[in-house]
Amino acid sequence: MSNDNKPSNWQQAIEGEWHGLPSLFEADGTHVGYNKVSRASEFEDGRTTYWMNTRFDATGPLNDRFEIGAPFKFGVIDSDQDRIYTGPDFFGSGRPYGLLVDSNYFSPGWNVNLRTMNHVVPELGMQVYSSQLFEGDTLVGVFNGLYTVTTDHGENPQTQKLVTEFLERERLEGKRPFNLPVKHAGTFSGRFEVYDDQQNFVGYNDVTIHHKPINLLHSEQTIEISGVVNEKWTAMRTRNGNHHQYHGPDMFGNGMSYGRYLYSVRHVYGKAFKLWSRETQVDDNYTFVCAWQFMQSQKEKYTTFGVLRWEEGDLKLGANYVD
């Protein structure tokens, strides 16, 4: 529990019952189904209990692996430094940064180690969730999807209707592939909160990404950051299915997308500095909810997160003609 026997800031930020329909992907990115979830983290009498009801609708062996036939209910030692999961369903911990928590924990029933990232985005009215599922260092699957929150779902028919409509949209959107604007140049821009390696809020980064398509599978992007971090990097990006690469000259790396979510690692040329990112396309207007972690000398330096909004520019790949 928190030191003053009160709920942590993160615990207060996630009050209510959350509803989602995360998609389930195999390790290669194949979409195989959904998991209908309702969940809540409840603080009462100085203790925190997390419960979660799940119902999988998937194909293949992952459905049998994850549908264990019982609801989840486990203890949490709650604090703003660490949230420690004490079983029986999950063992491990989460690390809060304002409205984002980055967790690493083990599920005996699923036999997976999870890296779970939950990001509450009040301006969009959603929580952006993902879990990468590992056996040791080997990825075996991915869950991801958006959640909405309620406080009266059990007794309010209108709330129930809104949740049902939200889940229906998630069923349609969950398997849509991550894409960048293919034919138009333009800019992504937004402001990210920045936390240091001690989880202290230290300010903001203003982020602008200048995007220019080269052809249908290649683009050039320049990332400009000012604020706590002051950097500028240009790289050519390529995409082959759900496989992404960054070809320099300033950043080199790769990533894989699982539906609307792209997970990447980019190394800065000539420096012991890299960027781990989870970027989520949440609508058809190329609005991206991003979590970026900067690593220096293989250690966490900053955790940053925010929303990037797209402003369309010139058409670069119009129709071709032969006269």
Side-chain angles (χ1 to χ4, degrees):
M1 66 188 69
S2 57
N3 292 334
D4 56 2
N5 206 31
K6 295 181 180 179
S8 67
N9 291 327
W10 171 255
Q11 176 63 33
Q12 295 176 62
I14 60 171
E15 286 182 357
E17 183 176 344
W18 294 85
H19 308 266
L21 192 75
S23 288
L24 173 59
F25 299 87
E26 294 181 345
D28 66 358
T30 301
H31 184 272
V32 294
Y34 303 91
N35 179 21
K36 185 177 183 295
V37 180
S38 59
R39 55 175 168 83
S41 181
E42 298 175 338
F43 180 89
E44 185 176 358
D45 297 329
R47 287 183 170 177
T48 301
T49 303
Y50 202 115
W51 62 263
M52 183 169 65
N53 295 324
T54 67
R55 185 62 183 266
F56 282 87
D57 177 14
T59 59
L62 292 184
N63 186 71
D64 294 338
R65 177 173 189 160
F66 294 119
E67 185 60 85
I68 64 173
F72 296 86
K73 191 172 185 179
F74 56 97
V76 180
I77 302 173
D78 174 45
S79 79
D80 285 311
Q81 187 66 36
D82 296 292
R83 284 170 60 85
I84 302 172
Y85 313 129
T86 58
D89 302 295
F90 298 108
F91 299 93
S93 64
R95 190 164 161 83
Y97 306 85
L99 293 179
L100 180 143
V101 67
D102 189 3
S103 303
N104 187 228
Y105 54 99
F106 175 67
S107 165
W110 292 341
N111 186 28
V112 292
N113 200 64
L114 298 92
R115 182 182 184 179
T116 295
M117 187 169 281
N118 285 307
H119 178 189
V120 177
V121 191
E123 66 185 274
L124 299 177
M126 64 178 63
Q127 184 181 125
V128 181
Y129 157 84
S130 69
S131 288
Q132 296 164 286
L133 315 168
F134 297 90
E135 286 190 44
D137 289 335
T138 301
L139 185 71
V140 298
V142 171
F143 301 150
N144 62 45
L146 310 179
Y147 279 79
T148 189
V149 66
T150 67
T151 56
D152 60 353
H153 182 263
E155 62 274 3
N156 189 331
Q158 181 62 25
T159 299
Q160 295 167 9
K161 179 175 181 292
L162 292 173
V163 169
T164 297
E165 292 172 351
F166 176 84
L167 298 181
E168 289 173 351
R169 289 195 301 273
E170 279 296 280
R171 183 173 289 276
L172 292 174
E173 299 295 329
K175 61 185 177 181
R176 293 189 185 276
F178 179 97
N179 274 308
L180 295 168
V182 176
K183 295 188 175 183
H184 283 84
T187 58
F188 297 94
S189 59
R191 170 165 281 194
F192 289 13
E193 293 186 14
V194 182
Y195 292 78
D196 66 15
D197 61 346
Q198 301 301 310
Q199 298 160 269
N200 298 309
F201 172 71
V202 293
Y204 296 95
N205 283 339
D206 289 316
V207 178
T208 301
I209 302 177
H210 303 273
H211 173 76
K212 183 176 71 175
I214 298 170
N215 55 46
L216 297 179
L217 298 178
H218 296 70
S219 63
E220 181 186 85
Q221 286 192 342
T222 297
I223 300 173
E224 292 189 81
I225 305 175
S226 62
V228 177
V229 178
N230 293 280
E231 296 285 355
K232 182 178 180 180
W233 302 298
T234 297
M236 185 178 74
R237 297 179 60 145
T238 63
R239 179 181 65 82
N240 181 6
N242 68 324
H243 298 265
H244 299 248
Q245 285 187 285
Y246 307 87
H247 295 278
D250 299 324
M251 304 184 94
F252 293 84
N254 60 12
M256 286 187 67
S257 57
Y258 295 81
R260 299 167 289 176
Y261 288 63
L262 172 63
Y263 307 82
S264 299
V265 176
R266 284 167 268 191
H267 302 265
V268 176
Y269 179 72
K271 297 182 179 180
F273 198 71
K274 66 182 177 183
L275 168 63
W276 179 93
S277 62
R278 186 196 74 175
E279 298 168 336
T280 308
Q281 184 180 347
V282 298
D283 60 26
D284 291 335
N285 296 321
Y286 299 107
T287 302
F288 291 159
V289 177
C290 301
W292 289 3
Q293 291 187 321
F294 295 102
M295 313 292 289
Q296 185 167 311
S297 300
Q298 309 299 328
K299 296 181 292 185
E300 173 192 354
K301 187 171 181 64
Y302 296 116
T303 293
T304 77
F305 49 88
V307 178
L308 291 177
R309 298 184 184 275
W310 169 247
E311 183 175 346
E312 186 172 274
D314 295 338
L315 176 66
K316 295 296 183 181
L317 298 177
N320 295 330
Y321 300 97
V322 175
D323 295 327

